[in-house]
Amino acid sequence: TQMKGKKTGEYDIKFKLAGLYSEYGDLDDDTKNFLGRRGETKIRFIQSAHTEAQIPELDMPEVAFAGRSNVGKSSLLNAIGLTSIVRSSNTPGLTQSLNFYRLREQLSLVDLPGYGFAFAKDEKIAAWAELAQLYYKTRKNLRRVFVVLDARHGALDRDENFMKALSSYGNVKFQVILNKADLVLKPEDLAKQYEIIRQFLNDLPGAEKDIYMVSARSGAGIRELVQDIKSIALSE
C-alpha cells in the first residue's frame, strides 16, 4: 500500500523498515531498485491455483517456497519483499492453493501449500500434493525450490522424503532455508542441525549445498537470501 503524504524521503523511510526487521541490515541501491522504490507495491498477487488449469503461464524466472505447515513460508516471503501482501497466520495449513506473486516484472514467486499437518480433510491434502507434484515436474520456468524448515527441529522424516522426491524428478534445483533460527537457544544446536542437513544434501542430485539460516521475524540472514534471489531474476 502506498504511503501518503511522505513524498520526500519516503524511499529511505520504506527501507529503514522502522525497526520491523531489526537485523535485516542495509541494502545497496541496486537491491532497493529490485525490490521497488517510493512505496510502490513491490510484490503483487497474480492468482491462486487450485487446479492445473488455473496455473498461470508466466514469461519470467520463478522460485517457489515449500515446507511443512507452520514453518513460516508466508512470513518469509513478506520479509524477502519487505511487504505484508502475503497472507500469513499461526494456523497451520492456511495456504490451501498454489499462490502466485510477481516481483515487478522480473520474477515470479510461488507460495505452496504446506505438506504435513494442516487443518484440512485428507482428500483435500492429497489433492494439494498431487497438484504440487505436477507443478514441480512440469514447470519450465521454475529455477529453484526453496525448502523452508523450522531451525528448531531441522529436517524431519517428511522433509527428507519431500527432498528425495524433488531430487528424483531430475529437473528441479532446490535449496534449504532454516527459518526461525532466532528461536534456537543454543548456537551449537543450530550448528548441529546445519551439519546434519548438509550431510543429507550431499547425496541428493539437484540440491544446492549452501543452507540459509534466517529469521523472518527479525530479518537476520534475509538480505543474503534476497541477493541470491535477485541473481536468479537477473540471470536471464
Side-chain angles (χ1 to χ4, degrees):
T1 303
Q2 188 166 347
M3 298 170 62
K4 297 181 179 179
K6 293 186 178 181
K7 293 183 179 179
T8 57
E10 180 181 13
Y11 172 51
D12 293 327
I13 291 170
K14 290 288 290 183
F15 287 103
K16 285 180 180 176
L17 304 178
L20 179 61
Y21 299 112
S22 58
E23 297 180 38
Y24 198 111
D26 295 330
L27 293 171
D28 59 77
D29 286 344
D30 285 344
T31 303
K32 290 178 180 178
N33 287 332
F34 174 66
L35 291 175
R37 277 184 175 270
R38 295 199 177 278
E40 68 185 27
T41 302
K42 297 165 288 297
I43 293 180
R44 293 184 182 273
F45 175 70
I46 301 174
Q47 70 183 63
S48 295
H50 296 86
T51 65
E52 180 183 0
Q54 293 174 336
I55 296 177
E57 293 292 334
L58 300 172
D59 187 21
M60 63 183 75
E62 189 164 273
V63 296
F65 293 80
R68 285 181 288 110
S69 299
N70 215 27
V71 295
K73 298 187 304 297
S74 301
S75 297
L76 180 61
L77 274 164
N78 281 327
I80 289 169
L82 305 181
T83 184
S84 59
I85 193 172
V86 184
R87 188 182 177 198
S88 61
S89 170
N90 291 325
T91 302
L94 180 71
T95 303
Q96 300 186 1
S97 57
L98 279 66
N99 294 323
F100 291 80
Y101 301 84
R102 63 175 172 82
L103 181 51
R104 310 193 57 157
E105 298 294 337
Q106 296 175 305
L107 184 71
S108 168
L109 304 102
V110 186
D111 188 12
L112 291 151
Y115 54 83
F117 176 78
F119 289 120
K121 295 181 179 180
D122 289 343
E123 58 267 27
K124 184 174 286 188
I125 295 174
W128 298 341
E130 184 177 347
L131 181 61
Q133 185 181 65
L134 176 72
Y135 166 79
Y136 296 132
K137 288 182 175 180
T138 62
R139 193 65 168 174
K140 293 181 180 179
N141 62 324
L142 180 61
R143 297 295 176 262
R144 194 173 305 175
V145 177
F146 288 105
V147 182
V148 185
L149 307 180
D150 188 324
R152 296 170 295 180
H153 309 305
L156 304 181
D157 288 345
R158 192 177 293 267
D159 299 309
E160 292 186 355
N161 290 336
F162 173 71
M163 287 186 278
K164 287 178 181 177
L166 286 180
S167 180
S168 72
Y169 298 153
N171 64 317
V172 179
K173 289 186 177 181
F174 61 95
Q175 186 167 14
V176 168
I177 299 174
L178 285 172
N179 191 24
K180 305 185 181 182
D182 56 319
L183 300 181
V184 181
L185 298 180
K186 297 179 180 179
E188 57 267 30
D189 290 342
L190 186 60
K192 181 180 179 181
Q193 294 289 7
Y194 179 97
E195 185 59 26
I196 290 172
I197 295 169
R198 190 184 68 80
Q199 292 290 343
F200 172 75
L201 294 175
N202 278 340
D203 298 325
L204 290 184
E208 296 284 341
K209 302 308 185 272
D210 291 334
I211 300 169
Y212 284 104
M213 294 186 288
V214 308
S215 167
R217 183 176 66 169
S218 72
I222 299 293
R223 180 177 57 174
E224 291 75 18
L225 178 57
V226 169
Q227 296 286 358
D228 193 8
I229 290 172
K230 183 179 74 169
S231 69
I232 294 172
L234 300 181
S235 63
E236 299 182 20

